[in-house]
Every structure is written in structure tokens, then in C-alpha cells.
Amino acid sequence: SLRGPFFVFGGIILFALLIRTCGLVVAGPVAMIFGSMASPEFRLKEATIFAAIMTTFCILLFKVLLRLPIPVIGPVLEPFFPF
């Protein structure tokens, strides 16, 4: 079955397409939830909780601790979050 490779590779592609425009807040959860669909035991609630926790961890790690220039909120979302 090509289900696994399709969703894992698709998650990577979605992340690459969304990270610069929407930022890590959107790209992280979308990629993780889409990649989680590779498993036949996929549950949306569990995948959403996992994505929220991992995105928070990634923001803390890459933006706060390592101070990398990764956009947390991309240019598409900046008008909605003017802080």
C-alpha cells in the first residue's frame, strides 16, 4: 500500500510550502496531522493534541533556545496578529 509514503511525503511537502507564508504555527500542525494519517490507526483528536504539543516544543526549541530565524507567524497571518 502506498498510504504510508503518500502521507509522510505529503506532510513534508506541505511543511515546505507553508513554513515561509504561514509560519511554524500553521505549517507544523498541518504537516504533523497530515503525516499522522499514514497510520491506519489514525485518530484526529490524538493527532491534534500531538501536533499542538510538538509545535509548542518546536517554537521553544528553535525560536527561543536556538534563536533561529524561523517565522512563527508568517506574513499571511501577521495582519491578524499585530503584536
Side-chain angles (χ1 to χ4, degrees), residues 29-47:
V30 168
M32 284 182 251
I33 291 171
F34 195 82
S36 295
M37 287 191 243
S39 171
E41 299 169 4
F42 170 75
R43 292 188 185 102
L44 183 59
K45 183 178 179 181
E46 291 176 3

Side-chain angles (χ1 to χ4, degrees), residues 32-80:
M32 284 182 251
I33 291 171
F34 195 82
S36 295
M37 287 191 243
S39 171
E41 299 169 4
F42 170 75
R43 292 188 185 102
L44 183 59
K45 183 178 179 181
E46 291 176 3
T48 304
I49 293 168
F50 171 73
I53 292 169
M54 287 304 296
T55 300
T56 303
F57 174 75
C58 287
I59 290 170
L60 290 173
L61 176 64
F62 295 119
K63 193 69 176 177
V64 177
L65 295 174
L66 297 176
R67 297 182 184 172
L68 295 177
I70 295 174
V72 175
I73 297 174
V76 172
L77 298 177
E78 279 180 355
F80 302 106

